[in-house]
Amino acid sequence: MQVTQTYWLEHAWLDTHVEPGVALDVTDGRITAVRENTATPPPGAEILRGLTLPGLANAHSHAFHRALRGTVQVGSGTFWTWREFMYAFADKLTPDTYHALARAVYAEMALAGVTAVGEFHYVHHAHGGTPYADPNAMGEALVAAADEAGIRITLLDTAYVSSGFGQPPNHHQLRFSDGSAEAWAERSSLLKDRDHARIGAALHSVRAVPAGQLATVARWAEERQAPLHVHLSEQTAENDACQAAHGCTPTRLLADHGVLGPRTTGVHNTHLTDEDIVLLGDSRTGTCMCPTTERDLADGIGPAVALQRAGSPLSLGSDSHAVIDLLEEARAMELNERLRTRTRGHWTAAALLRAASADGHAALGWQDAGILEAGALADFTTIALDSVRTAGPVPRLGAETAVFAATAADVRHTVVGGRHVVRDGAHALVPDVPQALAQAVEALRA
């Protein structure tokens, strides 16, 4: 017998506007009715005070990078010096330590209103590249961690074959490499979807997968109708190396090998030519911007406005998890563009929220999430409108308040599949998230 639970939303963002007094009926993990003009809570309803948004989608995550927070802020350097710190932590991961860290990181995401994560996963093997007894032990640890933290995951299993154009993997990268795209496809085919998890694919970058093997990964994703993500033109050094090796940009190389398309998302897309932007837009290839990481690593500001105008849908990610706050990522995308152009108002608050919710979910293969309407997955989050950051504006400006004033600290509730994962700012499944994070990070430092 199916049981219907009603949630009464004091205020709800319904894609274009904020509506007061909305009742959501939820049955078997999906929204079955959206009833507006409900001034008072129906009997027995769960009451959500504040502004309720669709659940946020963190479209680009490297869970183990969370262990770098604070540590890599000492001194100076570039992306490439940061990468050496990252390798040191990657070397220490085991299925057990990775599970513990990811569980805590995904719980932190739930506390920040995230209901689905795209995990760009490339640490596949034991030291020296030796497969575990279960060749997907690391990926399965991430899938289990998301389940225990109460959120959905798209495991973007990543092909990583070389350290650069024509170069074998270095000693750190042996853990990442299957030896060839064909071997990657054989291993990743053993992973299966489940209720809370979907399996997608990723190309780490054009420098990490030889040009002749790009199509193998694209074909794997095409056959499964699965998402395909790729780090794209994050660094000018990658562009220069690609020009030297192939006489073209990374975007052109991907286009020539059949990688671009509406199920594909380029992550960062920072240093693009005008032709690159046209190629991405015309193919409806998505763009995942990660403004905090792009600032933290001194990558640069990508042409997000031009990409969206060309036809590339935008999503957002917290990437290296210097902070986990999708509201900050949405705000930063607009504010970065203001700094670059010295003009304001490139996106409305509604457009930025869509990038953080519906369009992010679509990039991860969850097309039935990210919107408050009948038939959608019952995934939503509630932002306080009475905190020191959000008090004052009238509720009808709730979207603007959420994007331009609120932070992850203002998340009051997170509901996934109709289940309260975060209630009144406390995680229901991971009792002490800060302690879980501290213990998991310390285990990697030991």
Side-chain angles (χ1 to χ4, degrees):
M1 177 180 174
Q2 293 183 328
V3 177
T4 297
Q5 172 67 57
T6 298
Y7 286 87
W8 182 79
L9 319 181
E10 184 180 28
H11 302 282
W13 182 64
L14 299 182
D15 191 48
T16 58
H17 66 286
V18 173
E19 184 73 22
V22 174
L24 296 184
D25 292 336
V26 174
T27 307
D28 197 24
R30 290 188 179 270
I31 299 170
T32 52
V34 179
R35 292 181 279 136
E36 300 179 30
N37 301 312
T38 307
T40 58
E46 289 265 11
I47 298 172
L48 304 184
R49 299 280 180 190
L51 173 67
T52 297
L53 312 169
L56 305 178
N58 191 349
H60 189 66
S61 162
H62 302 291
F64 79 89
H65 290 190
R66 173 62 177 80
L68 299 170
R69 187 181 293 180
T71 303
V72 291
Q73 305 305 334
V74 177
S76 60
T78 66
F79 167 87
W80 306 103
T81 53
W82 169 89
R83 191 173 71 159
E84 293 305 312
F85 285 100
M86 180 270 289
Y87 284 154
F89 280 94
D91 285 345
K92 296 180 179 180
L93 293 171
T94 68
D96 287 342
T97 60
Y98 206 1
H99 172 267
L101 178 60
R103 174 178 175 268
V105 172
Y106 297 154
E108 182 182 358
M109 290 184 193
L111 289 170
V114 171
T115 57
V117 60
E119 184 60 41
F120 200 104
H121 164 56
Y122 55 82
V123 186
H124 302 303
H125 307 299
H127 290 282
T130 303
Y132 290 102
D134 174 357
N136 286 304
M138 296 292 263
E140 291 292 352
L142 294 167
V143 171
D147 187 36
E148 292 173 29
I151 69 172
R152 304 184 195 276
I153 185 171
T154 296
L155 187 72
L156 298 160
D157 196 273
T158 304
Y160 197 129
V161 177
S162 58
S163 65
F165 296 96
Q167 300 298 316
N170 65 33
H171 68 282
H172 298 292
Q173 296 163 345
L174 291 172
R175 298 198 70 182
F176 311 161
S177 178
D178 291 293
S180 69
E182 290 76 14
W184 166 86
E186 183 177 351
R187 177 187 53 74
S188 57
S189 293
L190 300 174
L191 291 160
K192 303 301 179 187
D193 289 355
R194 53 217 84 172
D195 287 347
H196 81 289
R198 297 195 175 157
I199 307 303
L203 296 152
H204 180 273
S205 55
V206 294
R207 70 178 185 274
V209 180
Q213 300 182 40
L214 294 171
T216 298
V217 181
R219 187 165 51 249
W220 187 97
E222 174 69 24
E223 289 171 353
R224 290 160 179 78
Q225 300 288 286
L228 173 61
H229 289 214
V230 55
H231 291 130
L232 181 56
S233 288
E234 181 180 4
Q235 296 292 325
T236 55
E238 177 183 282
N239 289 0
D240 295 342
C242 189
Q243 285 283 358
H246 297 289
C248 65
T249 66
T251 301
R252 168 53 71 182
L253 189 68
L254 294 175
D256 289 348
H257 289 273
V259 174
L260 303 185
R263 280 191 310 280
T264 300
T265 297
V267 180
H268 305 302
N269 293 1
T270 307
H271 302 285
L272 303 178
T273 66
D274 290 344
E275 182 194 29
D276 292 340
I277 293 170
V278 171
L279 287 170
L280 293 167
D282 285 353
S283 63
R284 303 294 295 170
T285 299
T287 294
C288 179
M289 304 298 286
C290 306
T292 297
T293 292
E294 290 149 10
R295 292 182 299 189
D296 185 48
L297 299 184
D299 288 342
I301 299 171
V305 170
L307 282 161
Q308 188 169 54
R309 286 176 178 165
S312 178
L314 299 180
S315 56
L316 296 166
S318 63
D319 193 356
S320 64
H321 311 315
V323 298
I324 294 176
D325 188 339
L326 267 288
L327 299 174
E328 168 61 22
E329 304 300 340
R331 173 165 56 248
M333 188 163 69
E334 167 67 24
L335 298 186
N336 281 355
E337 195 66 17
R338 292 182 186 186
L339 283 175
R340 193 179 68 81
T341 64
R342 290 180 290 172
T343 59
R344 303 175 77 235
H346 302 276
W347 291 276
T348 64
L352 293 168
L353 285 177
R354 279 192 291 275
S357 55
D359 291 345
H361 282 97
L364 299 178
W366 298 94
Q367 285 83 0
D368 51 353
I371 192 165
L372 301 180
E373 65 177 28
L377 290 168
D379 299 355
F380 39 90
T381 188
T382 304
I383 307 296
L385 294 179
D386 57 359
S387 76
V388 293
R389 289 164 293 276
T390 60
V394 295
R396 66 180 175 80
L397 296 177
E400 288 76 10
T401 303
V403 171
F404 292 106
T407 73
D410 296 308
V411 171
R412 184 171 282 166
H413 308 288
T414 301
V415 174
V416 182
R419 178 178 66 166
H420 241 117
V421 175
V422 173
R423 188 190 295 271
D424 295 321
H427 201 288
L429 305 175
V430 182
D432 189 337
V433 178
Q435 182 184 44
L437 285 163
Q439 290 175 343
V441 173
E442 181 58 32
L444 295 182
R445 291 200 184 111

